[in-house]
Amino acid sequence: MKIVRFSCGGPIAYGLLEGETIRIIDGTPYSSYTVGEAVFALDDIRLLEPAVPTKIVAVGLNYIDHAAEIGMEPHDEPIIFIKPVSTTIADGDAIVYPAMSSWIEYEAELAIVIKDITHQVSVEQAPAHILGYTCANDVTARDLQRKDGQWTRAKSFDTFAPIGPCIETDIDPNNLKIELRLNGEVMQSSNTSNMHFKPDYLVSFVSHIMTLCPGDIILTGTPPGVGPMQIDDEVEVEIEGIGMLRNKVITL
Ligand code: MG
C-alpha cells in the first residue's frame, strides 16, 4: 500500500496511491481509517510531505560500501543527529541553496516512518512500530559541516529534507535498489542490503534514547557517491518498490 498526503484546494487529506490516481481515506494512517469513494487524478492534486514528523533522526555512515569508499570502518554503534522538522519539503518542491554555504551535497536515503508511540522497543518489536518507508534526500552544506566541527547548521537549513512521494507499507527494507540521479546522470547506486545497521535495529536503538512519535522519520544513511549540487540542478532519489522523489535546486 502506498500512502500519500495531498491537497486539492480543500483540506489536507491522506490517500492511497493506485497508479495515477489517489483514493482518499477517512482518518489517518496512524489510526483506524476507512477507504473513501473519492478518487483524484495525480495531475489534479498537490502531493505534500507524506509524513509530518515531530523529529527527524538521521544516521551517519551506515552503508558498508560508503564507509569503504572513504576508508573508514562502520561504527560499533549508530552515529545519530537531528534535523529540524522545518527542513521537510515534498516531492516537486524546491531545495533552496542557502547564502551561507557554497558547497551543498545530496545524500539519497531510505526513510523509516514511525507508526505510533515507540519507547524502548526491542529489535523484534520494532517492525510493529514502523508504518512504512519513503525516499529522502539528506541535503548537507558540506563546507559548513567541516567548518563547524558538528553538524547542526550544515544539516538544518529550510528545505534540506525532501521526503516522498509516498509511504510504502508493504516492503522488505533490507534489499532495495537505491539510486540518485543528478540532471539524469546516475551518481549513487547501491542496495539497502549494504546497510550496516538495519532499519529494525535503528528503530530499537533510537527508541532507547528518545520516544518516537507517529510520523517521526529515521534517515538510514547514504550509499557511496555523494557530491555537490548547483543552482538549477534537478535531483532524483529512486528506491525500488517505493517510488521517485524529484526536487530542483533554486536560489531566492
Ligand atoms: Mg545522511
Side-chain angles (χ1 to χ4, degrees):
M1 209 163 57
K2 288 182 161 59
I3 295 169
V4 292
R5 198 171 141 265
F6 69 101
S7 159
C8 55
I12 290 170
Y14 288 95
L16 305 181
L17 181 62
E18 299 169 347
E20 294 296 304
T21 61
I22 293 169
R23 185 173 295 275
I24 200 165
I25 64 174
D26 186 16
T28 82
Y30 306 97
S31 56
S32 59
Y33 64 84
T34 53
V35 179
E37 289 300 314
V39 173
F40 298 85
L42 261 185
D43 288 344
D44 295 337
I45 59 93
R46 180 169 170 240
L47 278 183
L48 303 173
E49 302 89 332
V52 184
T54 72
K55 53 193 164 297
I56 302 166
V57 184
V59 180
L61 203 73
N62 193 32
Y63 275 74
I64 296 164
D65 42 356
H66 181 41
E69 175 189 47
I70 58 174
M72 289 182 71
E73 292 287 319
H75 296 105
D76 57 352
E77 290 186 303
I79 298 292
I80 63 167
F81 59 94
I82 297 267
K83 286 171 87 90
V85 296
S86 45
T87 55
T88 59
I89 57 171
D91 178 53
D93 289 348
I95 298 165
V96 178
Y97 204 120
M100 268 187 200
S101 173
S102 54
W103 192 275
I104 71 167
E105 294 196 345
Y106 53 79
E107 294 187 0
E109 307 206 6
L110 176 76
I112 304 166
V113 182
I114 296 295
K115 184 178 187 178
D116 52 16
I117 296 290
T118 303
H119 176 68
Q120 296 191 357
V121 300
S122 66
V123 174
E124 293 71 28
Q125 291 167 327
H129 296 278
I130 297 172
L131 176 64
Y133 301 88
T134 190
C135 309
N137 189 346
D138 175 20
V139 181
T140 304
R142 198 69 75 198
D143 52 349
L144 302 181
Q145 187 181 32
R146 297 207 173 99
K147 183 179 181 186
D148 289 355
Q150 50 87 7
W151 301 4
T152 305
R153 178 165 65 147
K155 295 285 189 180
S156 298
F157 287 96
D158 289 355
T159 75
F160 267 27
I163 52 171
C166 64
I167 301 166
E168 172 57 63
T169 59
D170 305 308
I171 203 164
D172 174 3
N174 296 307
N175 185 21
L176 302 174
K177 185 173 162 54
I178 177 168
E179 189 170 280
L180 183 139
R181 294 181 291 274
L182 189 69
N183 303 318
E185 185 182 349
V186 175
M187 309 302 282
Q188 292 186 281
S189 182
S190 187
N191 190 290
T192 57
S193 62
N194 288 316
M195 280 187 203
H196 181 56
F197 298 109
K198 308 298 184 191
D200 293 351
Y201 179 88
L202 291 172
V203 169
S204 171
F205 179 81
V206 175
S207 81
H208 284 83
I209 304 161
M210 62 191 90
T211 300
L212 292 163
C213 301
D216 279 359
I217 285 176
I218 299 177
L219 302 181
T220 56
T222 198
V226 298
M229 294 187 290
Q230 313 297 340
I231 292 160
D232 291 333
D233 279 352
E234 189 173 79
V235 61
E236 295 170 345
V237 177
E238 184 164 11
I239 302 178
E240 179 184 7
I242 299 175
M244 184 172 68
L245 169 69
R246 181 187 290 132
N247 301 92
K248 192 171 177 175
V249 182
I250 67 161
T251 184
L252 293 181

